[in-house]
Amino acid sequence: MRKAAAGALLVLTLLYPLGIFAALDHVAPQWLAGALVLLALVRAVGTRQGFWYLVAAGAGVLALASWWLGDARAVKLYPVLVNAVLLVVFGWSLRCPPSVVERLARLQTPDLPAAAVAYTARVTALWCGFFVLNGAAAVYTALYCSDAIWALYNGLLAYVAMGGLMAGEWLVRQHVQRRQGGHPAGSAANE
């Protein structure tokens, strides 16, 4: 039951841009903002992860802006918020190791060699770059593009780009492992 609820919350979070797009002409932005805060709070409480509490707090700020301005743009900035929080979390982990990707790698390979730790730091930095670029695209689509373009980018293309980065990293990791005898990159980044 708990896994089903977590899965449903994940799907709702991923489909957020498409849901907002479908509802924009039918629901006032203030109510969409309230639903956004509720979703973020339920996700935070359900996962008990600090990341989602930060997202929920940011969603609250966006909701207040939406209520104050009566404008859907604040609601459309939610993907920007998620990218910003991920950038802070991943970036902070580079400053105060272990990196996020190293922690994930150690779930499969607890005893990572130094080369794998260095690799995971580079992958974490790569993700930081992704969050900057993806967040910038999310800002641009929220402020300057039609609702349809915003939903297309944030509800599909951003996920395709994320999947491409994961697949590319996996291919690079396989190459590095083969070249260096099978272990140096460990299971570096099963994001």
Side-chain angles (χ1 to χ4, degrees), residues 84-118:
V85 171
L86 285 168
L87 176 61
V88 168
V89 169
F90 276 60
W92 184 259
S93 77
L94 286 173
R95 183 149 171 80
C96 300
S99 71
V100 169
V101 176
E102 179 183 342
R103 289 177 195 176
L104 292 172
R106 287 186 185 279
L107 293 174
Q108 283 189 321
T109 310
D111 188 29
L112 288 178
V117 171

PDB file of all heavy atoms in Angstrom, residues 84-118:
ATOM      1  N   ALA A  84      16.299  24.103  -9.142  1.00  0.00           N
ATOM      2  CA  ALA A  84      17.120  24.906  -8.229  1.00  0.00           C
ATOM      3  C   ALA A  84      17.441  24.122  -6.959  1.00  0.00           C
ATOM      4  O   ALA A  84      18.591  24.123  -6.488  1.00  0.00           O
ATOM      5  CB  ALA A  84      16.410  26.214  -7.891  1.00  0.00           C
ATOM      6  N   VAL A  85      16.445  23.441  -6.408  1.00  0.00           N
ATOM      7  CA  VAL A  85      16.688  22.657  -5.190  1.00  0.00           C
ATOM      8  C   VAL A  85      17.655  21.509  -5.490  1.00  0.00           C
ATOM      9  O   VAL A  85      18.580  21.249  -4.715  1.00  0.00           O
ATOM     10  CB  VAL A  85      15.365  22.151  -4.580  1.00  0.00           C
ATOM     11  CG1 VAL A  85      15.621  21.169  -3.453  1.00  0.00           C
ATOM     12  CG2 VAL A  85      14.526  23.330  -4.081  1.00  0.00           C
ATOM     13  N   LEU A  86      17.463  20.829  -6.615  1.00  0.00           N
ATOM     14  CA  LEU A  86      18.395  19.752  -6.980  1.00  0.00           C
ATOM     15  C   LEU A  86      19.805  20.284  -7.182  1.00  0.00           C
ATOM     16  O   LEU A  86      20.780  19.650  -6.771  1.00  0.00           O
ATOM     17  CB  LEU A  86      17.904  19.030  -8.235  1.00  0.00           C
ATOM     18  CG  LEU A  86      16.717  18.093  -8.022  1.00  0.00           C
ATOM     19  CD1 LEU A  86      16.125  17.664  -9.355  1.00  0.00           C
ATOM     20  CD2 LEU A  86      17.121  16.886  -7.199  1.00  0.00           C
ATOM     21  N   LEU A  87      19.934  21.453  -7.800  1.00  0.00           N
ATOM     22  CA  LEU A  87      21.250  22.066  -7.981  1.00  0.00           C
ATOM     23  C   LEU A  87      21.906  22.334  -6.634  1.00  0.00           C
ATOM     24  O   LEU A  87      23.093  22.038  -6.441  1.00  0.00           O
ATOM     25  CB  LEU A  87      21.126  23.363  -8.793  1.00  0.00           C
ATOM     26  CG  LEU A  87      22.412  24.157  -8.969  1.00  0.00           C
ATOM     27  CD1 LEU A  87      23.471  23.346  -9.713  1.00  0.00           C
ATOM     28  CD2 LEU A  87      22.108  25.464  -9.698  1.00  0.00           C
ATOM     29  N   VAL A  88      21.152  22.858  -5.697  1.00  0.00           N
ATOM     30  CA  VAL A  88      21.702  23.134  -4.363  1.00  0.00           C
ATOM     31  C   VAL A  88      22.120  21.839  -3.677  1.00  0.00           C
ATOM     32  O   VAL A  88      23.219  21.751  -3.121  1.00  0.00           O
ATOM     33  CB  VAL A  88      20.686  23.926  -3.499  1.00  0.00           C
ATOM     34  CG1 VAL A  88      21.105  23.956  -2.041  1.00  0.00           C
ATOM     35  CG2 VAL A  88      20.510  25.332  -4.047  1.00  0.00           C
ATOM     36  N   VAL A  89      21.267  20.821  -3.730  1.00  0.00           N
ATOM     37  CA  VAL A  89      21.578  19.547  -3.068  1.00  0.00           C
ATOM     38  C   VAL A  89      22.822  18.902  -3.690  1.00  0.00           C
ATOM     39  O   VAL A  89      23.756  18.500  -2.984  1.00  0.00           O
ATOM     40  CB  VAL A  89      20.370  18.588  -3.123  1.00  0.00           C
ATOM     41  CG1 VAL A  89      20.752  17.178  -2.694  1.00  0.00           C
ATOM     42  CG2 VAL A  89      19.229  19.131  -2.264  1.00  0.00           C
ATOM     43  N   PHE A  90      22.853  18.804  -5.021  1.00  0.00           N
ATOM     44  CA  PHE A  90      24.003  18.184  -5.691  1.00  0.00           C
ATOM     45  C   PHE A  90      25.256  19.035  -5.517  1.00  0.00           C
ATOM     46  O   PHE A  90      26.344  18.510  -5.258  1.00  0.00           O
ATOM     47  CB  PHE A  90      23.710  17.975  -7.177  1.00  0.00           C
ATOM     48  CG  PHE A  90      22.945  16.720  -7.489  1.00  0.00           C
ATOM     49  CD1 PHE A  90      21.682  16.494  -6.962  1.00  0.00           C
ATOM     50  CD2 PHE A  90      23.483  15.752  -8.329  1.00  0.00           C
ATOM     51  CE1 PHE A  90      20.969  15.345  -7.265  1.00  0.00           C
ATOM     52  CE2 PHE A  90      22.780  14.599  -8.633  1.00  0.00           C
ATOM     53  CZ  PHE A  90      21.514  14.388  -8.090  1.00  0.00           C
ATOM     54  N   GLY A  91      25.117  20.352  -5.669  1.00  0.00           N
ATOM     55  CA  GLY A  91      26.271  21.234  -5.515  1.00  0.00           C
ATOM     56  C   GLY A  91      26.823  21.209  -4.101  1.00  0.00           C
ATOM     57  O   GLY A  91      28.044  21.171  -3.903  1.00  0.00           O
ATOM     58  N   TRP A  92      25.940  21.220  -3.114  1.00  0.00           N
ATOM     59  CA  TRP A  92      26.392  21.177  -1.720  1.00  0.00           C
ATOM     60  C   TRP A  92      27.139  19.876  -1.445  1.00  0.00           C
ATOM     61  O   TRP A  92      28.128  19.867  -0.704  1.00  0.00           O
ATOM     62  CB  TRP A  92      25.201  21.323  -0.767  1.00  0.00           C
ATOM     63  CG  TRP A  92      25.635  21.372   0.665  1.00  0.00           C
ATOM     64  CD1 TRP A  92      25.595  20.359   1.582  1.00  0.00           C
ATOM     65  CD2 TRP A  92      26.210  22.492   1.339  1.00  0.00           C
ATOM     66  NE1 TRP A  92      26.100  20.774   2.776  1.00  0.00           N
ATOM     67  CE2 TRP A  92      26.485  22.087   2.659  1.00  0.00           C
ATOM     68  CE3 TRP A  92      26.520  23.794   0.945  1.00  0.00           C
ATOM     69  CZ2 TRP A  92      27.063  22.943   3.593  1.00  0.00           C
ATOM     70  CZ3 TRP A  92      27.080  24.643   1.895  1.00  0.00           C
ATOM     71  CH2 TRP A  92      27.348  24.216   3.187  1.00  0.00           C
ATOM     72  N   SER A  93      26.687  18.782  -2.062  1.00  0.00           N
ATOM     73  CA  SER A  93      27.360  17.505  -1.822  1.00  0.00           C
ATOM     74  C   SER A  93      28.766  17.487  -2.424  1.00  0.00           C
ATOM     75  O   SER A  93      29.617  16.734  -1.963  1.00  0.00           O
ATOM     76  CB  SER A  93      26.523  16.341  -2.369  1.00  0.00           C
ATOM     77  OG  SER A  93      26.626  16.220  -3.770  1.00  0.00           O
ATOM     78  N   LEU A  94      29.015  18.321  -3.432  1.00  0.00           N
ATOM     79  CA  LEU A  94      30.380  18.429  -3.961  1.00  0.00           C
ATOM     80  C   LEU A  94      31.266  19.191  -2.977  1.00  0.00           C
ATOM     81  O   LEU A  94      32.447  18.899  -2.836  1.00  0.00           O
ATOM     82  CB  LEU A  94      30.379  19.145  -5.311  1.00  0.00           C
ATOM     83  CG  LEU A  94      29.865  18.340  -6.493  1.00  0.00           C
ATOM     84  CD1 LEU A  94      29.752  19.218  -7.730  1.00  0.00           C
ATOM     85  CD2 LEU A  94      30.766  17.136  -6.761  1.00  0.00           C
ATOM     86  N   ARG A  95      30.664  20.163  -2.332  1.00  0.00           N
ATOM     87  CA  ARG A  95      31.413  20.967  -1.359  1.00  0.00           C
ATOM     88  C   ARG A  95      31.642  20.199  -0.060  1.00  0.00           C
ATOM     89  O   ARG A  95      32.663  20.375   0.605  1.00  0.00           O
ATOM     90  CB  ARG A  95      30.655  22.255  -1.090  1.00  0.00           C
ATOM     91  CG  ARG A  95      31.334  23.212  -0.174  1.00  0.00           C
ATOM     92  CD  ARG A  95      30.969  24.637  -0.540  1.00  0.00           C
ATOM     93  NE  ARG A  95      31.421  25.601   0.426  1.00  0.00           N
ATOM     94  CZ  ARG A  95      32.639  26.067   0.504  1.00  0.00           C
ATOM     95  NH1 ARG A  95      33.561  25.628  -0.327  1.00  0.00           N
ATOM     96  NH2 ARG A  95      32.966  26.963   1.400  1.00  0.00           N
ATOM     97  N   CYS A  96      30.684  19.382   0.317  1.00  0.00           N
ATOM     98  CA  CYS A  96      30.747  18.602   1.557  1.00  0.00           C
ATOM     99  C   CYS A  96      30.510  17.130   1.227  1.00  0.00           C
ATOM    100  O   CYS A  96      29.394  16.627   1.383  1.00  0.00           O
ATOM    101  CB  CYS A  96      29.698  19.097   2.547  1.00  0.00           C
ATOM    102  SG  CYS A  96      29.892  20.811   3.016  1.00  0.00           S
ATOM    103  N   PRO A  97      31.552  16.437   0.721  1.00  0.00           N
ATOM    104  CA  PRO A  97      31.396  15.041   0.292  1.00  0.00           C
ATOM    105  C   PRO A  97      30.894  14.150   1.428  1.00  0.00           C
ATOM    106  O   PRO A  97      31.017  14.508   2.584  1.00  0.00           O
ATOM    107  CB  PRO A  97      32.806  14.644  -0.128  1.00  0.00           C
ATOM    108  CG  PRO A  97      33.525  15.929  -0.344  1.00  0.00           C
ATOM    109  CD  PRO A  97      32.893  16.930   0.561  1.00  0.00           C
ATOM    110  N   PRO A  98      30.333  13.007   1.088  1.00  0.00           N
ATOM    111  CA  PRO A  98      30.303  12.392  -0.230  1.00  0.00           C
ATOM    112  C   PRO A  98      29.246  13.031  -1.133  1.00  0.00           C
ATOM    113  O   PRO A  98      28.226  13.517  -0.666  1.00  0.00           O
ATOM    114  CB  PRO A  98      29.957  10.936   0.058  1.00  0.00           C
ATOM    115  CG  PRO A  98      29.192  10.969   1.336  1.00  0.00           C
ATOM    116  CD  PRO A  98      29.744  12.129   2.117  1.00  0.00           C
ATOM    117  N   SER A  99      29.522  12.982  -2.432  1.00  0.00           N
ATOM    118  CA  SER A  99      28.584  13.552  -3.401  1.00  0.00           C
ATOM    119  C   SER A  99      27.323  12.698  -3.468  1.00  0.00           C
ATOM    120  O   SER A  99      27.311  11.543  -3.037  1.00  0.00           O
ATOM    121  CB  SER A  99      29.244  13.623  -4.784  1.00  0.00           C
ATOM    122  OG  SER A  99      29.391  12.327  -5.325  1.00  0.00           O
ATOM    123  N   VAL A 100      26.282  13.275  -4.008  1.00  0.00           N
ATOM    124  CA  VAL A 100      25.015  12.550  -4.158  1.00  0.00           C
ATOM    125  C   VAL A 100      25.231  11.277  -4.973  1.00  0.00           C
ATOM    126  O   VAL A 100      24.754  10.206  -4.597  1.00  0.00           O
ATOM    127  CB  VAL A 100      23.945  13.453  -4.827  1.00  0.00           C
ATOM    128  CG1 VAL A 100      22.724  12.643  -5.221  1.00  0.00           C
ATOM    129  CG2 VAL A 100      23.554  14.599  -3.906  1.00  0.00           C
ATOM    130  N   VAL A 101      25.942  11.379  -6.070  1.00  0.00           N
ATOM    131  CA  VAL A 101      26.147  10.208  -6.931  1.00  0.00           C
ATOM    132  C   VAL A 101      27.013   9.168  -6.211  1.00  0.00           C
ATOM    133  O   VAL A 101      26.770   7.961  -6.343  1.00  0.00           O
ATOM    134  CB  VAL A 101      26.742  10.619  -8.292  1.00  0.00           C
ATOM    135  CG1 VAL A 101      27.044   9.407  -9.154  1.00  0.00           C
ATOM    136  CG2 VAL A 101      25.776  11.561  -9.023  1.00  0.00           C
ATOM    137  N   GLU A 102      27.976   9.603  -5.422  1.00  0.00           N
ATOM    138  CA  GLU A 102      28.771   8.645  -4.647  1.00  0.00           C
ATOM    139  C   GLU A 102      27.882   7.896  -3.656  1.00  0.00           C
ATOM    140  O   GLU A 102      28.001   6.677  -3.493  1.00  0.00           O
ATOM    141  CB  GLU A 102      29.895   9.349  -3.889  1.00  0.00           C
ATOM    142  CG  GLU A 102      30.736   8.396  -3.057  1.00  0.00           C
ATOM    143  CD  GLU A 102      31.818   9.079  -2.237  1.00  0.00           C
ATOM    144  OE1 GLU A 102      32.174  10.243  -2.533  1.00  0.00           O
ATOM    145  OE2 GLU A 102      32.314   8.448  -1.282  1.00  0.00           O
ATOM    146  N   ARG A 103      26.987   8.606  -3.001  1.00  0.00           N
ATOM    147  CA  ARG A 103      26.074   7.938  -2.057  1.00  0.00           C
ATOM    148  C   ARG A 103      25.220   6.899  -2.770  1.00  0.00           C
ATOM    149  O   ARG A 103      25.008   5.794  -2.248  1.00  0.00           O
ATOM    150  CB  ARG A 103      25.171   8.968  -1.381  1.00  0.00           C
ATOM    151  CG  ARG A 103      25.909   9.835  -0.410  1.00  0.00           C
ATOM    152  CD  ARG A 103      25.001  10.878   0.187  1.00  0.00           C
ATOM    153  NE  ARG A 103      25.812  11.895   0.840  1.00  0.00           N
ATOM    154  CZ  ARG A 103      25.325  12.970   1.392  1.00  0.00           C
ATOM    155  NH1 ARG A 103      24.023  13.203   1.379  1.00  0.00           N
ATOM    156  NH2 ARG A 103      26.133  13.845   1.953  1.00  0.00           N
ATOM    157  N   LEU A 104      24.745   7.249  -3.956  1.00  0.00           N
ATOM    158  CA  LEU A 104      23.948   6.289  -4.731  1.00  0.00           C
ATOM    159  C   LEU A 104      24.804   5.089  -5.144  1.00  0.00           C
ATOM    160  O   LEU A 104      24.353   3.950  -5.082  1.00  0.00           O
ATOM    161  CB  LEU A 104      23.351   6.969  -5.963  1.00  0.00           C
ATOM    162  CG  LEU A 104      22.284   8.025  -5.680  1.00  0.00           C
ATOM    163  CD1 LEU A 104      21.911   8.764  -6.964  1.00  0.00           C
ATOM    164  CD2 LEU A 104      21.053   7.405  -5.046  1.00  0.00           C
ATOM    165  N   ALA A 105      26.032   5.351  -5.562  1.00  0.00           N
ATOM    166  CA  ALA A 105      26.926   4.265  -5.992  1.00  0.00           C
ATOM    167  C   ALA A 105      27.235   3.323  -4.832  1.00  0.00           C
ATOM    168  O   ALA A 105      27.304   2.106  -5.011  1.00  0.00           O
ATOM    169  CB  ALA A 105      28.215   4.852  -6.563  1.00  0.00           C
ATOM    170  N   ARG A 106      27.382   3.891  -3.643  1.00  0.00           N
ATOM    171  CA  ARG A 106      27.717   3.059  -2.474  1.00  0.00           C
ATOM    172  C   ARG A 106      26.550   2.168  -2.029  1.00  0.00           C
ATOM    173  O   ARG A 106      26.764   1.216  -1.279  1.00  0.00           O
ATOM    174  CB  ARG A 106      28.206   3.920  -1.326  1.00  0.00           C
ATOM    175  CG  ARG A 106      29.604   4.463  -1.567  1.00  0.00           C
ATOM    176  CD  ARG A 106      30.154   5.198  -0.359  1.00  0.00           C
ATOM    177  NE  ARG A 106      31.428   5.817  -0.643  1.00  0.00           N
ATOM    178  CZ  ARG A 106      32.602   5.190  -0.639  1.00  0.00           C
ATOM    179  NH1 ARG A 106      32.664   3.901  -0.374  1.00  0.00           N
ATOM    180  NH2 ARG A 106      33.721   5.848  -0.901  1.00  0.00           N
ATOM    181  N   LEU A 107      25.363   2.434  -2.517  1.00  0.00           N
ATOM    182  CA  LEU A 107      24.249   1.536  -2.225  1.00  0.00           C
ATOM    183  C   LEU A 107      24.479   0.171  -2.866  1.00  0.00           C
ATOM    184  O   LEU A 107      24.073  -0.846  -2.322  1.00  0.00           O
ATOM    185  CB  LEU A 107      22.924   2.134  -2.715  1.00  0.00           C
ATOM    186  CG  LEU A 107      22.445   3.384  -1.997  1.00  0.00           C
ATOM    187  CD1 LEU A 107      21.195   3.941  -2.678  1.00  0.00           C
ATOM    188  CD2 LEU A 107      22.185   3.113  -0.522  1.00  0.00           C
ATOM    189  N   GLN A 108      25.153   0.165  -4.019  1.00  0.00           N
ATOM    190  CA  GLN A 108      25.451  -1.096  -4.709  1.00  0.00           C
ATOM    191  C   GLN A 108      26.864  -1.581  -4.436  1.00  0.00           C
ATOM    192  O   GLN A 108      27.113  -2.780  -4.405  1.00  0.00           O
ATOM    193  CB  GLN A 108      25.274  -0.933  -6.213  1.00  0.00           C
ATOM    194  CG  GLN A 108      23.845  -0.944  -6.639  1.00  0.00           C
ATOM    195  CD  GLN A 108      23.737  -1.013  -8.154  1.00  0.00           C
ATOM    196  OE1 GLN A 108      24.509  -0.390  -8.865  1.00  0.00           O
ATOM    197  NE2 GLN A 108      22.770  -1.765  -8.632  1.00  0.00           N
ATOM    198  N   THR A 109      27.792  -0.638  -4.300  1.00  0.00           N
ATOM    199  CA  THR A 109      29.193  -0.986  -4.107  1.00  0.00           C
ATOM    200  C   THR A 109      29.725  -0.184  -2.918  1.00  0.00           C
ATOM    201  O   THR A 109      30.260   0.908  -3.094  1.00  0.00           O
ATOM    202  CB  THR A 109      30.021  -0.655  -5.372  1.00  0.00           C
ATOM    203  OG1 THR A 109      29.368  -1.216  -6.507  1.00  0.00           O
ATOM    204  CG2 THR A 109      31.435  -1.193  -5.281  1.00  0.00           C
ATOM    205  N   PRO A 110      29.561  -0.710  -1.701  1.00  0.00           N
ATOM    206  CA  PRO A 110      29.940   0.067  -0.513  1.00  0.00           C
ATOM    207  C   PRO A 110      31.410   0.466  -0.460  1.00  0.00           C
ATOM    208  O   PRO A 110      31.747   1.526   0.054  1.00  0.00           O
ATOM    209  CB  PRO A 110      29.596  -0.864   0.653  1.00  0.00           C
ATOM    210  CG  PRO A 110      28.583  -1.809   0.101  1.00  0.00           C
ATOM    211  CD  PRO A 110      28.917  -1.967  -1.350  1.00  0.00           C
ATOM    212  N   ASP A 111      32.296  -0.366  -1.030  1.00  0.00           N
ATOM    213  CA  ASP A 111      33.723  -0.085  -0.947  1.00  0.00           C
ATOM    214  C   ASP A 111      34.231   0.439  -2.296  1.00  0.00           C
ATOM    215  O   ASP A 111      34.884  -0.279  -3.050  1.00  0.00           O
ATOM    216  CB  ASP A 111      34.476  -1.357  -0.545  1.00  0.00           C
ATOM    217  CG  ASP A 111      35.935  -1.086  -0.245  1.00  0.00           C
ATOM    218  OD1 ASP A 111      36.262   0.042   0.187  1.00  0.00           O
ATOM    219  OD2 ASP A 111      36.758  -1.999  -0.465  1.00  0.00           O
ATOM    220  N   LEU A 112      33.934   1.699  -2.587  1.00  0.00           N
ATOM    221  CA  LEU A 112      34.376   2.294  -3.856  1.00  0.00           C
ATOM    222  C   LEU A 112      35.853   2.678  -3.782  1.00  0.00           C
ATOM    223  O   LEU A 112      36.284   3.292  -2.813  1.00  0.00           O
ATOM    224  CB  LEU A 112      33.574   3.559  -4.154  1.00  0.00           C
ATOM    225  CG  LEU A 112      32.126   3.394  -4.578  1.00  0.00           C
ATOM    226  CD1 LEU A 112      31.493   4.770  -4.774  1.00  0.00           C
ATOM    227  CD2 LEU A 112      32.021   2.595  -5.853  1.00  0.00           C
ATOM    228  N   PRO A 113      36.613   2.355  -4.825  1.00  0.00           N
ATOM    229  CA  PRO A 113      38.005   2.804  -4.875  1.00  0.00           C
ATOM    230  C   PRO A 113      38.068   4.315  -5.149  1.00  0.00           C
ATOM    231  O   PRO A 113      37.080   4.934  -5.567  1.00  0.00           O
ATOM    232  CB  PRO A 113      38.607   2.000  -6.034  1.00  0.00           C
ATOM    233  CG  PRO A 113      37.450   1.566  -6.850  1.00  0.00           C
ATOM    234  CD  PRO A 113      36.262   1.487  -5.944  1.00  0.00           C
ATOM    235  N   ALA A 114      39.226   4.890  -4.939  1.00  0.00           N
ATOM    236  CA  ALA A 114      39.413   6.343  -5.101  1.00  0.00           C
ATOM    237  C   ALA A 114      39.032   6.811  -6.508  1.00  0.00           C
ATOM    238  O   ALA A 114      38.444   7.882  -6.669  1.00  0.00           O
ATOM    239  CB  ALA A 114      40.854   6.722  -4.779  1.00  0.00           C
ATOM    240  N   ALA A 115      39.359   6.012  -7.523  1.00  0.00           N
ATOM    241  CA  ALA A 115      39.021   6.409  -8.899  1.00  0.00           C
ATOM    242  C   ALA A 115      37.508   6.505  -9.080  1.00  0.00           C
ATOM    243  O   ALA A 115      37.011   7.401  -9.768  1.00  0.00           O
ATOM    244  CB  ALA A 115      39.614   5.406  -9.893  1.00  0.00           C
ATOM    245  N   ALA A 116      36.768   5.602  -8.458  1.00  0.00           N
ATOM    246  CA  ALA A 116      35.308   5.642  -8.564  1.00  0.00           C
ATOM    247  C   ALA A 116      34.736   6.845  -7.828  1.00  0.00           C
ATOM    248  O   ALA A 116      33.780   7.472  -8.282  1.00  0.00           O
ATOM    249  CB  ALA A 116      34.710   4.347  -8.023  1.00  0.00           C
ATOM    250  N   VAL A 117      35.338   7.187  -6.689  1.00  0.00           N
ATOM    251  CA  VAL A 117      34.884   8.363  -5.937  1.00  0.00           C
ATOM    252  C   VAL A 117      35.100   9.627  -6.776  1.00  0.00           C
ATOM    253  O   VAL A 117      34.220  10.490  -6.864  1.00  0.00           O
ATOM    254  CB  VAL A 117      35.607   8.462  -4.576  1.00  0.00           C
ATOM    255  CG1 VAL A 117      35.312   9.782  -3.885  1.00  0.00           C
ATOM    256  CG2 VAL A 117      35.203   7.283  -3.682  1.00  0.00           C
ATOM    257  N   ALA A 118      36.249   9.725  -7.425  1.00  0.00           N
ATOM    258  CA  ALA A 118      36.519  10.879  -8.295  1.00  0.00           C
ATOM    259  C   ALA A 118      35.532  10.906  -9.466  1.00  0.00           C
ATOM    260  O   ALA A 118      35.033  11.975  -9.835  1.00  0.00           O
ATOM    261  CB  ALA A 118      37.959  10.825  -8.807  1.00  0.00           C
TER     262      ALA A 118
END
